Amino acid sequence: MSDMLVNLYQLPETAELYRKVEASGVRLVRALSPNEHLIADFIRGEFGEGWVSETRAALTNHPTTCFIAVKDHKVIGFADYDATAKGYFGPTGVAKSERGQGIGAALLLKCLEAMREDGYGYAIIGSAGPGEFYTKCCGARVIENDQPNIYSRMV
């Protein structure tokens, strides 16, 4: 999977998407570090251990750089930025049972808007997959010849 680049000054309008997601009973919030165990348990159960460490890093930033989707007092999705490296979006994921409702797109855009507010002009989506999702949601483009990338340092 290739890295992708997003121009944060050309993000789509989000008000209607946020209204739709919230009307379905989902709250989109910036995570609080006291909820780390709930968030980690969700990620571990849905996606495995690998993304837990990245999210822990996002939760130690001030303010945290992790957004979560909550429904019926349960975490059903998450999205991070500035976790593995500054200027990077991800990881992100939504519970399989909740996909297809716009929650993933809403979490992505919450993070990208926060990155723009933090002073970034562009965001990198590291090892992006599925790429067509990111292109559709935020106009992300594949960064050609991006090897090696940040993840090539992994043990």
Side-chain angles (χ1 to χ4, degrees), residues 10-65:
Q10 294 181 348
L11 296 177
E13 174 58 43
T14 56
E16 185 61 34
L17 174 63
Y18 294 160
R19 274 195 293 278
K20 175 186 163 201
V21 168
E22 290 170 1
S24 70
V26 175
R27 287 186 315 125
L28 303 169
V29 296
R30 189 181 289 262
L32 292 174
S33 57
N35 288 323
E36 183 271 338
H37 64 287
L38 298 173
I39 299 165
D41 288 348
F42 165 75
I43 295 169
R44 190 177 294 110
E46 290 282 334
F47 305 101
E49 192 65 37
W51 288 351
V52 173
S53 57
E54 288 183 277
T55 297
R56 282 192 176 124
L59 287 166
T60 63
N61 292 325
H62 295 284
T64 65
T65 55

CSV table of all heavy atoms in Angstrom, one decimal, residues 10-65:
chain,number,residue,atom,x,y,z
A,10,GLN,N,-8.6,21.9,1.0
A,10,GLN,CA,-9.6,21.5,0.0
A,10,GLN,C,-10.5,20.4,0.5
A,10,GLN,O,-10.9,19.6,-0.3
A,10,GLN,CB,-8.9,21.1,-1.3
A,10,GLN,CG,-8.2,22.3,-2.0
A,10,GLN,CD,-7.6,21.9,-3.3
A,10,GLN,OE1,-7.5,20.7,-3.7
A,10,GLN,NE2,-7.1,22.9,-4.1
A,11,LEU,N,-10.8,20.4,1.8
A,11,LEU,CA,-11.6,19.4,2.4
A,11,LEU,C,-13.1,19.6,2.0
A,11,LEU,O,-13.5,20.8,1.9
A,11,LEU,CB,-11.5,19.3,3.9
A,11,LEU,CG,-10.1,18.9,4.4
A,11,LEU,CD1,-10.1,19.0,5.9
A,11,LEU,CD2,-9.7,17.5,4.0
A,12,PRO,N,-13.9,18.6,1.9
A,12,PRO,CA,-15.3,18.8,1.6
A,12,PRO,C,-16.1,19.3,2.8
A,12,PRO,O,-15.6,19.3,3.9
A,12,PRO,CB,-15.8,17.3,1.3
A,12,PRO,CG,-14.9,16.5,2.0
A,12,PRO,CD,-13.5,17.2,2.0
A,13,GLU,N,-17.2,19.9,2.5
A,13,GLU,CA,-18.2,20.3,3.5
A,13,GLU,C,-18.6,19.1,4.4
A,13,GLU,O,-18.9,18.1,3.8
A,13,GLU,CB,-19.4,21.0,2.9
A,13,GLU,CG,-20.4,21.4,3.8
A,13,GLU,CD,-20.0,22.4,4.9
A,13,GLU,OE1,-19.2,23.3,4.6
A,13,GLU,OE2,-20.3,22.2,6.1
A,14,THR,N,-18.6,19.3,5.7
A,14,THR,CA,-18.9,18.1,6.6
A,14,THR,C,-20.2,18.2,7.4
A,14,THR,O,-20.6,17.2,7.9
A,14,THR,CB,-17.7,18.0,7.5
A,14,THR,OG1,-17.6,19.2,8.3
A,14,THR,CG2,-16.5,17.6,6.8
A,15,ALA,N,-20.9,19.3,7.4
A,15,ALA,CA,-22.0,19.5,8.3
A,15,ALA,C,-23.1,18.4,8.1
A,15,ALA,O,-23.6,17.9,9.0
A,15,ALA,CB,-22.6,20.9,8.1
A,16,GLU,N,-23.4,18.2,6.8
A,16,GLU,CA,-24.5,17.2,6.5
A,16,GLU,C,-24.1,15.8,6.9
A,16,GLU,O,-24.9,15.0,7.5
A,16,GLU,CB,-24.8,17.2,5.0
A,16,GLU,CG,-26.0,16.3,4.7
A,16,GLU,CD,-27.3,16.7,5.4
A,16,GLU,OE1,-27.5,17.9,5.6
A,16,GLU,OE2,-28.1,15.8,5.7
A,17,LEU,N,-22.8,15.4,6.7
A,17,LEU,CA,-22.3,14.1,7.1
A,17,LEU,C,-22.4,14.0,8.6
A,17,LEU,O,-22.8,12.9,9.1
A,17,LEU,CB,-20.9,13.9,6.6
A,17,LEU,CG,-20.2,12.6,7.1
A,17,LEU,CD1,-20.9,11.4,6.6
A,17,LEU,CD2,-18.7,12.7,6.6
A,18,TYR,N,-21.9,15.0,9.3
A,18,TYR,CA,-21.9,14.9,10.8
A,18,TYR,C,-23.4,14.8,11.3
A,18,TYR,O,-23.6,14.1,12.3
A,18,TYR,CB,-21.2,16.1,11.4
A,18,TYR,CG,-19.7,16.2,11.1
A,18,TYR,CD1,-19.1,17.4,11.2
A,18,TYR,CD2,-19.0,15.1,10.7
A,18,TYR,CE1,-17.7,17.5,11.0
A,18,TYR,CE2,-17.6,15.2,10.5
A,18,TYR,CZ,-17.0,16.4,10.6
A,18,TYR,OH,-15.6,16.5,10.4
A,19,ARG,N,-24.3,15.6,10.7
A,19,ARG,CA,-25.7,15.5,11.2
A,19,ARG,C,-26.2,14.1,10.9
A,19,ARG,O,-26.9,13.5,11.8
A,19,ARG,CB,-26.5,16.5,10.4
A,19,ARG,CG,-26.6,17.9,11.0
A,19,ARG,CD,-27.7,18.7,10.4
A,19,ARG,NE,-27.5,19.0,9.0
A,19,ARG,CZ,-26.7,20.0,8.6
A,19,ARG,NH1,-26.1,20.8,9.4
A,19,ARG,NH2,-26.6,20.3,7.3
A,20,LYS,N,-25.9,13.5,9.8
A,20,LYS,CA,-26.4,12.1,9.5
A,20,LYS,C,-25.9,11.1,10.5
A,20,LYS,O,-26.6,10.3,11.0
A,20,LYS,CB,-26.0,11.7,8.1
A,20,LYS,CG,-26.3,10.3,7.7
A,20,LYS,CD,-25.7,10.0,6.3
A,20,LYS,CE,-25.7,8.5,6.2
A,20,LYS,NZ,-24.7,8.0,5.2
A,21,VAL,N,-24.6,11.2,10.8
A,21,VAL,CA,-24.0,10.2,11.7
A,21,VAL,C,-24.6,10.4,13.1
A,21,VAL,O,-24.9,9.4,13.8
A,21,VAL,CB,-22.5,10.4,11.7
A,21,VAL,CG1,-21.8,9.6,12.9
A,21,VAL,CG2,-21.9,9.9,10.4
A,22,GLU,N,-24.7,11.7,13.5
A,22,GLU,CA,-25.2,11.9,14.9
A,22,GLU,C,-26.7,11.6,15.0
A,22,GLU,O,-27.1,11.1,16.1
A,22,GLU,CB,-24.9,13.4,15.3
A,22,GLU,CG,-23.4,13.6,15.5
A,22,GLU,CD,-23.1,15.1,15.6
A,22,GLU,OE1,-23.9,16.0,15.6
A,22,GLU,OE2,-21.8,15.3,15.8
A,23,ALA,N,-27.4,11.7,13.9
A,23,ALA,CA,-28.9,11.3,13.9
A,23,ALA,C,-29.0,9.8,14.1
A,23,ALA,O,-30.1,9.4,14.6
A,23,ALA,CB,-29.5,11.8,12.6
A,24,SER,N,-28.0,9.1,13.8
A,24,SER,CA,-28.1,7.6,14.0
A,24,SER,C,-27.7,7.2,15.4
A,24,SER,O,-27.6,6.0,15.7
A,24,SER,CB,-27.2,6.9,12.9
A,24,SER,OG,-25.9,7.1,13.2
A,25,GLY,N,-27.5,8.2,16.3
A,25,GLY,CA,-27.2,7.9,17.6
A,25,GLY,C,-25.7,7.7,17.9
A,25,GLY,O,-25.3,7.2,19.0
A,26,VAL,N,-24.8,8.2,17.0
A,26,VAL,CA,-23.4,8.1,17.1
A,26,VAL,C,-22.8,9.5,17.5
A,26,VAL,O,-23.2,10.5,16.9
A,26,VAL,CB,-22.7,7.6,15.8
A,26,VAL,CG1,-21.2,7.6,16.0
A,26,VAL,CG2,-23.2,6.2,15.5
A,27,ARG,N,-22.0,9.5,18.6
A,27,ARG,CA,-21.3,10.7,19.0
A,27,ARG,C,-19.9,10.6,18.5
A,27,ARG,O,-19.2,9.6,18.6
A,27,ARG,CB,-21.3,10.9,20.5
A,27,ARG,CG,-22.6,11.3,21.1
A,27,ARG,CD,-22.5,11.6,22.6
A,27,ARG,NE,-21.8,10.6,23.3
A,27,ARG,CZ,-20.7,10.9,24.1
A,27,ARG,NH1,-20.3,12.2,24.3
A,27,ARG,NH2,-20.1,10.0,24.8
A,28,LEU,N,-19.4,11.7,17.9
A,28,LEU,CA,-18.0,11.8,17.4
A,28,LEU,C,-17.3,12.8,18.4
A,28,LEU,O,-17.7,13.9,18.5
A,28,LEU,CB,-18.0,12.4,16.0
A,28,LEU,CG,-18.7,11.6,15.0
A,28,LEU,CD1,-18.8,12.4,13.7
A,28,LEU,CD2,-18.1,10.2,14.7
A,29,VAL,N,-16.3,12.3,19.1
A,29,VAL,CA,-15.7,13.1,20.1
A,29,VAL,C,-14.1,12.9,20.1
A,29,VAL,O,-13.6,11.9,19.7
A,29,VAL,CB,-16.2,12.8,21.6
A,29,VAL,CG1,-17.6,13.1,21.7
A,29,VAL,CG2,-15.9,11.4,21.9
A,30,ARG,N,-13.4,13.9,20.5
A,30,ARG,CA,-12.0,13.8,20.7
A,30,ARG,C,-11.9,13.0,22.0
A,30,ARG,O,-12.5,13.2,23.0
A,30,ARG,CB,-11.4,15.2,20.9
A,30,ARG,CG,-9.8,15.1,20.9
A,30,ARG,CD,-9.2,16.5,21.1
A,30,ARG,NE,-9.3,17.4,20.0
A,30,ARG,CZ,-8.4,17.6,19.1
A,30,ARG,NH1,-7.2,16.9,19.2
A,30,ARG,NH2,-8.6,18.4,18.1
A,31,ALA,N,-11.1,11.9,21.9
A,31,ALA,CA,-10.9,11.0,23.0
A,31,ALA,C,-10.2,11.6,24.2
A,31,ALA,O,-9.5,12.5,24.1
A,31,ALA,CB,-10.1,9.7,22.5
A,32,LEU,N,-10.5,11.1,25.4
A,32,LEU,CA,-9.9,11.5,26.6
A,32,LEU,C,-9.0,10.3,27.0
A,32,LEU,O,-9.4,9.1,27.0
A,32,LEU,CB,-10.9,11.8,27.7
A,32,LEU,CG,-11.7,13.0,27.5
A,32,LEU,CD1,-12.8,13.1,28.6
A,32,LEU,CD2,-10.9,14.3,27.5
A,33,SER,N,-7.8,10.6,27.5
A,33,SER,CA,-6.9,9.6,28.0
A,33,SER,C,-7.5,8.6,29.0
A,33,SER,O,-7.1,7.4,29.0
A,33,SER,CB,-5.6,10.1,28.4
A,33,SER,OG,-5.8,11.1,29.5
A,34,PRO,N,-8.4,9.0,29.9
A,34,PRO,CA,-9.0,8.1,30.9
A,34,PRO,C,-9.8,6.9,30.2
A,34,PRO,O,-10.0,5.9,30.8
A,34,PRO,CB,-9.9,8.9,31.7
A,34,PRO,CG,-9.4,10.3,31.6
A,34,PRO,CD,-8.8,10.4,30.3
A,35,ASN,N,-10.1,7.1,28.9
A,35,ASN,CA,-10.8,6.1,28.2
A,35,ASN,C,-9.9,5.2,27.4
A,35,ASN,O,-10.3,4.3,26.6
A,35,ASN,CB,-11.9,6.7,27.2
A,35,ASN,CG,-13.0,7.2,28.0
A,35,ASN,OD1,-13.5,6.7,29.0
A,35,ASN,ND2,-13.6,8.4,27.5
A,36,GLU,N,-8.6,5.3,27.7
A,36,GLU,CA,-7.6,4.5,26.9
A,36,GLU,C,-7.9,3.0,26.9
A,36,GLU,O,-7.8,2.3,25.9
A,36,GLU,CB,-6.2,4.8,27.5
A,36,GLU,CG,-5.1,4.1,26.7
A,36,GLU,CD,-4.8,2.7,27.2
A,36,GLU,OE1,-5.1,2.4,28.4
A,36,GLU,OE2,-4.2,1.9,26.4
A,37,HIS,N,-8.3,2.5,28.1
A,37,HIS,CA,-8.5,1.0,28.2
A,37,HIS,C,-9.7,0.6,27.3
A,37,HIS,O,-9.7,-0.5,26.7
A,37,HIS,CB,-8.7,0.6,29.6
A,37,HIS,CG,-9.9,1.2,30.3
A,37,HIS,ND1,-10.0,2.5,30.7
A,37,HIS,CD2,-11.1,0.6,30.6
A,37,HIS,CE1,-11.1,2.7,31.2
A,37,HIS,NE2,-11.8,1.6,31.2
A,38,LEU,N,-10.7,1.4,27.3
A,38,LEU,CA,-11.9,1.1,26.4
A,38,LEU,C,-11.6,1.1,24.9
A,38,LEU,O,-12.0,0.3,24.2
A,38,LEU,CB,-13.1,2.0,26.7
A,38,LEU,CG,-13.6,2.0,28.1
A,38,LEU,CD1,-14.6,3.1,28.3
A,38,LEU,CD2,-14.2,0.7,28.4
A,39,ILE,N,-10.8,2.2,24.6
A,39,ILE,CA,-10.4,2.3,23.2
A,39,ILE,C,-9.5,1.2,22.8
A,39,ILE,O,-9.6,0.6,21.7
A,39,ILE,CB,-9.8,3.7,23.0
A,39,ILE,CG1,-10.8,4.8,23.3
A,39,ILE,CG2,-9.2,3.9,21.6
A,39,ILE,CD1,-10.2,6.2,23.5
A,40,ALA,N,-8.5,0.9,23.6
A,40,ALA,CA,-7.5,-0.2,23.4
A,40,ALA,C,-8.3,-1.5,23.2
A,40,ALA,O,-7.9,-2.3,22.3
A,40,ALA,CB,-6.5,-0.3,24.4
A,41,ASP,N,-9.2,-1.8,24.1
A,41,ASP,CA,-10.0,-3.1,24.0
A,41,ASP,C,-10.7,-3.2,22.7
A,41,ASP,O,-10.8,-4.2,22.1
A,41,ASP,CB,-10.9,-3.2,25.2
A,41,ASP,CG,-10.2,-3.5,26.5
A,41,ASP,OD1,-9.0,-3.8,26.5
A,41,ASP,OD2,-10.9,-3.4,27.6
A,42,PHE,N,-11.3,-2.0,22.3
A,42,PHE,CA,-12.1,-2.0,21.0
A,42,PHE,C,-11.1,-2.3,19.9
A,42,PHE,O,-11.4,-3.2,19.0
A,42,PHE,CB,-12.8,-0.7,20.8
A,42,PHE,CG,-13.2,-0.5,19.4
A,42,PHE,CD1,-14.4,-1.2,18.9
A,42,PHE,CD2,-12.5,0.3,18.5
A,42,PHE,CE1,-14.8,-1.0,17.6
A,42,PHE,CE2,-12.9,0.5,17.2
A,42,PHE,CZ,-14.1,-0.2,16.8
A,43,ILE,N,-10.0,-1.6,19.8
A,43,ILE,CA,-9.1,-1.8,18.7
A,43,ILE,C,-8.5,-3.2,18.7
A,43,ILE,O,-8.5,-3.9,17.6
A,43,ILE,CB,-7.9,-0.8,18.8
A,43,ILE,CG1,-8.5,0.7,18.6
A,43,ILE,CG2,-6.9,-1.1,17.7
A,43,ILE,CD1,-7.5,1.8,18.9
A,44,ARG,N,-8.1,-3.7,19.8
A,44,ARG,CA,-7.6,-5.1,19.9
A,44,ARG,C,-8.6,-6.1,19.4
A,44,ARG,O,-8.3,-7.0,18.7
A,44,ARG,CB,-7.2,-5.3,21.4
A,44,ARG,CG,-6.4,-6.6,21.6
A,44,ARG,CD,-6.0,-6.8,23.1
A,44,ARG,NE,-5.0,-5.7,23.5
A,44,ARG,CZ,-5.3,-4.7,24.3
A,44,ARG,NH1,-6.5,-4.6,24.8
A,44,ARG,NH2,-4.4,-3.8,24.6
A,45,GLY,N,-9.8,-5.9,19.8
A,45,GLY,CA,-10.9,-6.9,19.5
A,45,GLY,C,-11.3,-6.9,18.0
A,45,GLY,O,-11.6,-7.9,17.4
A,46,GLU,N,-11.2,-5.7,17.4
A,46,GLU,CA,-11.6,-5.5,16.0
A,46,GLU,C,-10.5,-5.6,15.0
A,46,GLU,O,-10.7,-6.1,13.9
A,46,GLU,CB,-12.3,-4.2,15.8
A,46,GLU,CG,-13.7,-4.1,16.4
A,46,GLU,CD,-14.8,-4.7,15.6
A,46,GLU,OE1,-14.7,-4.9,14.4
A,46,GLU,OE2,-15.8,-5.1,16.3
A,47,PHE,N,-9.3,-5.2,15.4
A,47,PHE,CA,-8.2,-5.0,14.4
A,47,PHE,C,-6.9,-5.6,14.9
A,47,PHE,O,-5.9,-5.6,14.1
A,47,PHE,CB,-8.0,-3.5,14.1
A,47,PHE,CG,-9.2,-2.8,13.7
A,47,PHE,CD1,-10.0,-2.0,14.6
A,47,PHE,CD2,-9.7,-3.0,12.4
A,47,PHE,CE1,-11.1,-1.4,14.1
A,47,PHE,CE2,-10.8,-2.3,12.0
A,47,PHE,CZ,-11.6,-1.6,12.9
A,48,GLY,N,-6.8,-6.1,16.1
A,48,GLY,CA,-5.5,-6.7,16.6
A,48,GLY,C,-4.7,-5.7,17.3
A,48,GLY,O,-5.0,-4.5,17.5
A,49,GLU,N,-3.6,-6.2,17.8
A,49,GLU,CA,-2.7,-5.4,18.7
A,49,GLU,C,-1.9,-4.3,18.1
A,49,GLU,O,-1.6,-3.3,18.7
A,49,GLU,CB,-1.7,-6.4,19.4
A,49,GLU,CG,-0.9,-5.8,20.5
A,49,GLU,CD,-1.8,-5.5,21.7
A,49,GLU,OE1,-2.8,-6.2,22.0
A,49,GLU,OE2,-1.5,-4.4,22.4
A,50,GLY,N,-1.6,-4.4,16.8
A,50,GLY,CA,-0.7,-3.5,16.1
A,50,GLY,C,-1.1,-2.0,16.2
A,50,GLY,O,-0.3,-1.2,16.4
A,51,TRP,N,-2.4,-1.8,16.1
A,51,TRP,CA,-2.9,-0.4,16.1
A,51,TRP,C,-3.0,0.2,17.5
A,51,TRP,O,-3.2,1.4,17.7
A,51,TRP,CB,-4.2,-0.2,15.3
A,51,TRP,CG,-4.0,-0.4,13.8
A,51,TRP,CD1,-2.8,-0.4,13.1
A,51,TRP,CD2,-5.0,-0.4,12.9
A,51,TRP,NE1,-3.1,-0.5,11.8
A,51,TRP,CE2,-4.4,-0.5,11.6
A,51,TRP,CE3,-6.4,-0.4,12.9
A,51,TRP,CZ2,-5.1,-0.6,10.4
A,51,TRP,CZ3,-7.1,-0.5,11.8
A,51,TRP,CH2,-6.5,-0.6,10.5
A,52,VAL,N,-3.1,-0.7,18.5
A,52,VAL,CA,-3.2,-0.3,19.9
A,52,VAL,C,-2.1,0.7,20.3
A,52,VAL,O,-2.3,1.7,20.9
A,52,VAL,CB,-3.3,-1.5,20.8
A,52,VAL,CG1,-3.3,-1.0,22.3
A,52,VAL,CG2,-4.6,-2.3,20.6
A,53,SER,N,-0.8,0.3,19.9
A,53,SER,CA,0.3,1.1,20.3
A,53,SER,C,0.3,2.5,19.6
A,53,SER,O,0.6,3.5,20.3
A,53,SER,CB,1.6,0.4,20.0
A,53,SER,OG,1.7,0.0,18.7
A,54,GLU,N,-0.1,2.5,18.4
A,54,GLU,CA,-0.2,3.8,17.7
A,54,GLU,C,-1.3,4.7,18.4
A,54,GLU,O,-1.1,5.9,18.6
A,54,GLU,CB,-0.5,3.6,16.2
A,54,GLU,CG,0.6,3.1,15.4
A,54,GLU,CD,0.3,3.0,14.0
A,54,GLU,OE1,-0.3,2.0,13.6
A,54,GLU,OE2,0.7,3.9,13.2
A,55,THR,N,-2.4,4.1,18.8
A,55,THR,CA,-3.4,4.9,19.4
A,55,THR,C,-3.0,5.4,20.8
A,55,THR,O,-3.3,6.5,21.2
A,55,THR,CB,-4.7,4.1,19.4
A,55,THR,OG1,-5.2,3.9,18.1
A,55,THR,CG2,-5.8,4.9,20.2
A,56,ARG,N,-2.3,4.5,21.5
A,56,ARG,CA,-1.8,5.0,22.8
A,56,ARG,C,-0.9,6.2,22.6
A,56,ARG,O,-0.9,7.1,23.5
A,56,ARG,CB,-1.0,3.8,23.5
A,56,ARG,CG,-1.9,2.8,24.1
A,56,ARG,CD,-1.1,1.9,25.0
A,56,ARG,NE,-2.0,1.0,25.7
A,56,ARG,CZ,-2.0,-0.4,25.6
A,56,ARG,NH1,-1.0,-1.0,24.9
A,56,ARG,NH2,-2.9,-1.1,26.2
A,57,ALA,N,-0.1,6.2,21.6
A,57,ALA,CA,0.8,7.4,21.3
A,57,ALA,C,-0.1,8.6,21.1
A,57,ALA,O,0.2,9.7,21.6
A,57,ALA,CB,1.7,7.1,20.1
A,58,ALA,N,-1.2,8.5,20.3
A,58,ALA,CA,-2.1,9.6,20.0
A,58,ALA,C,-2.8,10.1,21.3
A,58,ALA,O,-3.0,11.3,21.4
A,58,ALA,CB,-3.1,9.2,19.0
A,59,LEU,N,-3.1,9.2,22.2
A,59,LEU,CA,-3.7,9.6,23.4
A,59,LEU,C,-2.8,10.3,24.4
A,59,LEU,O,-3.2,10.9,25.3
A,59,LEU,CB,-4.3,8.3,24.1
A,59,LEU,CG,-5.6,7.8,23.5
A,59,LEU,CD1,-5.9,6.4,24.0
A,59,LEU,CD2,-6.7,8.7,23.7
A,60,THR,N,-1.5,10.2,24.2
A,60,THR,CA,-0.5,10.9,25.0
A,60,THR,C,-0.3,12.4,24.5
A,60,THR,O,0.4,13.1,25.3
A,60,THR,CB,0.8,10.2,25.2
A,60,THR,OG1,1.4,10.1,23.9
A,60,THR,CG2,0.6,8.8,25.8
A,61,ASN,N,-0.7,12.7,23.3
A,61,ASN,CA,-0.6,14.0,22.8
A,61,ASN,C,-1.5,15.0,23.6
A,61,ASN,O,-2.6,14.5,24.1
A,61,ASN,CB,-0.8,14.1,21.3
A,61,ASN,CG,0.2,13.4,20.5
A,61,ASN,OD1,1.4,13.4,20.9
A,61,ASN,ND2,-0.2,12.8,19.4
A,62,HIS,N,-1.2,16.3,23.7
A,62,HIS,CA,-2.0,17.2,24.4
A,62,HIS,C,-2.4,18.3,23.4
A,62,HIS,O,-1.5,19.1,23.1
A,62,HIS,CB,-1.3,17.7,25.6
A,62,HIS,CG,-1.1,16.7,26.6
A,62,HIS,ND1,-2.0,16.2,27.4
A,62,HIS,CD2,0.0,16.0,26.9
A,62,HIS,CE1,-1.5,15.3,28.2
A,62,HIS,NE2,-0.3,15.1,27.9
A,63,PRO,N,-3.6,18.5,23.0
A,63,PRO,CA,-4.7,17.6,23.3
A,63,PRO,C,-4.5,16.2,22.6
A,63,PRO,O,-3.7,16.2,21.7
A,63,PRO,CB,-5.9,18.3,22.8
A,63,PRO,CG,-5.4,19.2,21.7
A,63,PRO,CD,-4.0,19.6,22.1
A,64,THR,N,-5.3,15.3,22.9
A,64,THR,CA,-5.2,14.0,22.3
A,64,THR,C,-5.4,14.1,20.8
A,64,THR,O,-6.2,15.0,20.4
A,64,THR,CB,-6.1,12.9,22.9
A,64,THR,OG1,-7.5,13.3,22.6
A,64,THR,CG2,-5.9,12.7,24.3
A,65,THR,N,-4.8,13.3,20.0
A,65,THR,CA,-5.0,13.3,18.6
A,65,THR,C,-5.7,12.0,18.1
A,65,THR,O,-5.4,11.5,17.1
A,65,THR,CB,-3.7,13.5,17.8
A,65,THR,OG1,-2.8,12.5,18.3
A,65,THR,CG2,-3.1,14.9,18.1
